[in-house]
Structure formats: C-alpha cells, structure tokens
C-alpha cells in the first residue's frame, strides 16, 4: 500500500472473510499486526485490554461450539480473543478510591480500548493482504470462556478476530444512508423512510445467495435481536467485577 488512495480503497472495500487459503501467517506478519493493534488510541493511556492468541485445537473447537458452529474459528490461521481488561490496571495502579475499577466509566474505557485495538489489527492485516472476521458469538457462553482461558476478575471476553489469506472475496455489504448516521449539531432523527435501503439490502442477499435469502435490513436485524438477546452477559459483567457501583 503506497498511496492515500490505496488506504481509502482498503477501508471502503471492507467485507468479512470467513474462508481462508492454506497459506500460513508467518511470525513477522503476525507481530506486525499485533504491534499495530497496540498503537490504537487508548483512554488515559490505560491500554485496558488483553489479546489472547488461540492456538490449542481443542480450545478452537470449543470456541466454534460456543459460537454456534462458526467453523472459521477452527480454520483461521490466526485467531485472537480480545478482552476488556481492568485487572492489569487494578494490579499495578495505586489509587485512593479502589471502587473506581467497578464504575461504568472504566468499564466503557476497557470495552472501547479493546475494540479500537481489534480494528487496528484488522486494518493492518487487510493492508498486508489478509482478510478477517470479528466473531461476537463467543459471548454466548461467557462463563465457559472465562474458564477456558483462565481469565481473572475484571477481565471480560468480548469477541474473536479471525485472520487469514482470503479464499474468497465477498461483495461489500451496503451501509445505512449517511443521513441516518451523521448529524450536524444534533442527533440525526429526521429520516424515517428505510424503503430504499431495505430493498438494497434485500437485493444484496438475493444475489449473494442465489435467491435463498432476501431478508432486508429491518427483518434481519430484528431476527438477530430476537434470537441473540444474551441477557446473561449482564450477569457475567457484574460477576467479573465490573459495574458494581
């Protein structure tokens, strides 16, 4: 990648990659991805996240099972679990109010830090010719995840980033029209008609699946919320020592 245009094209052409070639990711490439991940912005310099590379086939199998059978968790050349982590901060920082590690602000900081780090890792990987997918389905069984990776208190597993050299390139999924997302000096709450966007999403999946799936944006997002409410995440968050105030 040599030009500003290359970078913009990379960002604009993002699509999730779930099928990979047999080409391994060499150590130098992996370390470059991890180093870029660590250069993500971080609130108050806390770096409140942890990355766990998953190499054990048995643990990969368990991740795939927990997530509902997502095979790419087993087959991706590089599998990284990203966690929100206040354990390290609590261990090394001496503060006058120890309850600060239980408040909503630091929970938010840790989740945002981990998410920004994962996005940096994905962009770095894509710039090196790899593709990837972020899997939130591992949150289906958070207690199991915590046991599987020996997570201490105040560490919350968020998602897995799977990376590898793409065996296929899917078309870019259409995003919401910008007027729904971007406001000027106020929340953008004037747009209500999703007809055109719903049709665009329906057409996208119709072509992608040869007519097997024509659900639009409203239909598929409603289904996702009804099928995966994950109320148990709230219980895990508090049990792990977050949000106790």
């Amino acid at each position: 990648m040599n030009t500003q245009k290359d970078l913009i094209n990379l960002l604009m052409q993002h699509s999730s990659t779930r099928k990979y070639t047999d080409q391994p990711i060499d150590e130098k490439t992996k370390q470059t991805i991890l180093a870029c991940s660590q250069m993500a912005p971080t609130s108050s310099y806390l770096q409140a996240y942890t990355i766990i590379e998953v190499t054990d086939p048995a643990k990969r199998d368990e991740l795939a099972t927990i997530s509902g059978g997502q095979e790419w968790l087993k087959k991706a050349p590089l599998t990284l679990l990203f966690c929100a982590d206040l354990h390290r901060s609590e261990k090394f920082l001496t503060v006058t109010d120890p309850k600060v590690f239980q408040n909503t602000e630091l929970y938010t900081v840790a989740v945002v830090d981990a998410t920004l780090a994962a996005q940096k890792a994905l962009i770095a990987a894509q710039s090196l010719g790899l593709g990837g997918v972020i899997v939130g389905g591992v949150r289906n069984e958070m207690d199991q995840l915590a046991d599987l990776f020996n997570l201490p208190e105040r560490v919350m597993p968020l998602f897995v980033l799977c990376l590898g050299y793409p065996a296929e390139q899917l078309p870019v999924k259409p995003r919401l029209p910008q007027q729904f997302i971007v406001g000027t000096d106020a929340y953008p709450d004037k747009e209500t008609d999703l007809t055109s966007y719903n049709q665009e999403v329906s057409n996208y999946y119709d072509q992608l699946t040869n007519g097997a799936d024509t659900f639009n944006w409203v239909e598929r997002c409603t289904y996702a919320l009804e099928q995966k409410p994950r109320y148990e995440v709230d219980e895990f968050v508090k049990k792990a020592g977050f949000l106790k105030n």
Side-chain angles (χ1 to χ4, degrees):
M1 181 174 299
N2 300 314
T3 68
Q4 184 181 61
K5 185 177 179 180
D6 290 334
L7 175 59
I8 297 300
N9 286 339
L10 175 72
L11 295 172
M12 292 299 294
Q13 293 302 311
H14 168 77
S15 63
S16 294
T17 301
R18 295 178 174 84
K19 294 183 180 180
Y20 311 99
T21 68
D22 294 331
Q23 181 179 351
I25 298 173
D26 62 64
E27 186 65 20
K28 181 180 178 181
T29 299
K30 181 179 77 174
Q31 290 303 324
T32 298
I33 293 167
L34 292 173
C36 288
S37 181
Q38 283 194 266
M39 294 308 294
T42 171
S43 181
S44 300
Y45 200 29
L46 287 177
Q47 304 167 79
Y49 62 93
T50 288
I51 306 168
I52 299 174
E53 181 184 0
V54 188
T55 62
D56 184 337
K59 291 188 176 184
R60 281 176 168 243
D61 286 347
E62 198 158 345
L63 284 177
T65 300
I66 288 171
S67 67
Q70 299 191 48
E71 290 293 304
W72 31 94
L73 285 161
K74 296 192 289 185
K75 297 178 179 178
L78 182 59
T79 301
L80 302 172
L81 173 65
F82 282 78
C83 304
D85 185 353
L86 295 178
H87 173 77
R88 185 184 306 110
S89 298
E90 187 176 38
K91 179 179 179 180
F92 290 108
L93 306 182
T94 302
V95 296
T96 56
D97 177 16
K99 288 186 177 180
V100 70
F101 295 109
Q102 303 174 17
N103 74 18
T104 305
E105 164 61 10
L106 280 192
Y107 168 78
T108 304
V109 164
V111 171
V112 171
D113 271 12
T115 305
L116 292 174
Q119 181 67 357
K120 280 277 190 178
L122 177 57
I123 293 172
Q126 290 172 326
S127 74
L128 294 168
L130 286 80
V133 62
I134 292 176
V135 182
V138 295
R139 293 193 301 275
N140 288 338
E141 298 290 346
M142 298 189 71
D143 286 328
Q144 195 172 338
L145 272 187
D147 291 341
L148 189 62
F149 295 101
N150 301 316
L151 302 183
E153 188 177 45
R154 301 202 214 291
V155 177
M156 176 184 174
L158 295 175
F159 45 77
V160 171
L161 173 60
C162 296
L163 295 172
Y165 291 95
E168 66 176 6
Q169 187 68 44
L170 295 178
V172 177
K173 200 177 292 183
R175 266 37 179 188
L176 278 162
Q178 200 170 96
Q179 61 264 30
F180 284 89
I181 300 292
V182 181
T184 301
D185 296 328
Y187 184 84
D189 204 20
K190 296 180 180 178
E191 299 294 335
T192 58
D193 188 1
L194 279 166
T195 304
S196 178
Y197 180 64
N198 270 328
Q199 188 59 56
E200 184 180 8
V201 171
S202 179
N203 292 343
Y204 169 88
Y205 281 99
D206 183 25
Q207 294 176 17
L208 187 67
T209 65
N210 292 318
D213 178 354
T214 60
F215 290 115
N216 63 36
W217 183 77
V218 167
E219 291 168 340
R220 65 194 321 110
C221 290
T222 299
Y223 178 81
L225 293 179
E226 289 178 343
Q227 294 298 310
K228 297 176 289 186
R230 296 191 182 120
Y231 285 113
E232 61 274 14
V233 171
D234 179 68
E235 298 174 10
F236 178 87
V237 167
K238 293 173 182 175
K239 185 162 49 176
F242 295 90
L243 300 178
K244 284 191 172 182
N245 285 359

